[in-house]
Amino acid sequence: PMPAAYLLTKSVAGNGYLYKIGGLGEKGICGTPDVLFTRLNADGTVGPWAATTALPGMGTTTQTATCAGVAYELSDIVTGWGFEAVYSSGAVFVLGGNLWNFGSFSDGSKIHFSNAVFYARATADGTLGAWRRGPDLPAAAFFSAAAVADGVIYLSGGRDDSSTSFVRRDIYFSRLNADGSPGAWQVSASAMPGGLWLHASEAAAGRLYVSGGMTYDPFPRGQITNSVFSAPIAEDGTLGAWISEASLPLGLGGHGMRERHGVLYTIGGQEPDWPSVSVHAAAISPDGTLSPWTASDPLPQALYVHGSALGGDTLYAVGGTDLQQPQKGAYYLPDLIAPSTVADLSASAQD
């Protein structure tokens, strides 16, 4: 297991390593800049977890904070949670989220949603280099969903600071430069059919897929949807018109979604009334449309707002919560296979 429990965390995998990025720490009340990583073994198991370069602060002074008995020396303005993360071109990218001010912002609040983008290059031993600031998003984005295709990062939906209940349908995209840094962000002319947050996104087979999510406040019991949409990705990275895909068997929010061997998988999440153990799979047809979703082997326990990642032929679910307490386990589903044998998948756990 990880050395501590985290929810509202993000996970990515790349170059043989799995990363746990930020989130809320022990007791589910402490925003943490912790970044952990572990080596992925050939059989899907993971090695011991170790710390690497923590998420950057954005303030000008230092604050000592103690949470769950752990003391942190932090910037007075820290990246909290609700951000998205992707791995591409040898680097980890963190997009949006919220900012926590130990004092207060000019309007008196302690929390603002963020439009900041940071990235850190991964080294051969899995550690991360220094975090660098990339071009800002066009607007603040909280609980958005991100995906990468052919060197283009896509960030969809989420909430912003314009009101307590505004949910975006915009999609921002950035093409990575030759040196792996993010380029200027653009706003897609093809927005999602409706606003979503706590949804999941994945790029595969020349399309961008979006599943589930919440359509309006209040958190955490907003209107959870089972809708799935996709849009074609053009050679220049722009998106075409959205179409409806086969719906999920039930509404999901705060879940993961990953693709391998022409199959999309959803991992856990909150069903309309409770966190889910469900793992669903849908094969991608030659024209990019999805087959009906079928049940795969469930998670060993219900998880929500956890990290999810794909490493080789293995899916990972890291941290999260069962709505009772944060979790420190790392679960894995190895040996992902072709669509014809999706029903034969089996799950394993490493906690």
Side-chain angles (χ1 to χ4, degrees), residues 100-127:
W100 173 266
N101 191 329
F102 284 95
S104 63
F105 291 101
S106 58
D107 61 1
S109 67
K110 286 185 172 292
I111 292 179
H112 272 188
F113 297 160
S114 174
N115 67 343
V117 173
F118 297 100
Y119 66 103
R121 300 194 188 284
T123 65
D125 65 2
T127 56

Side-chain angles (χ1 to χ4, degrees), residues 86-89 93 146-154 176 202-204 208 233:
V86 295
Y87 185 100
S88 184
S89 300
F93 297 81
V148 182
D150 297 325
V152 179
I153 301 175
Y154 298 89
L176 300 182
E202 179 69 305
L208 182 65
I233 302 173

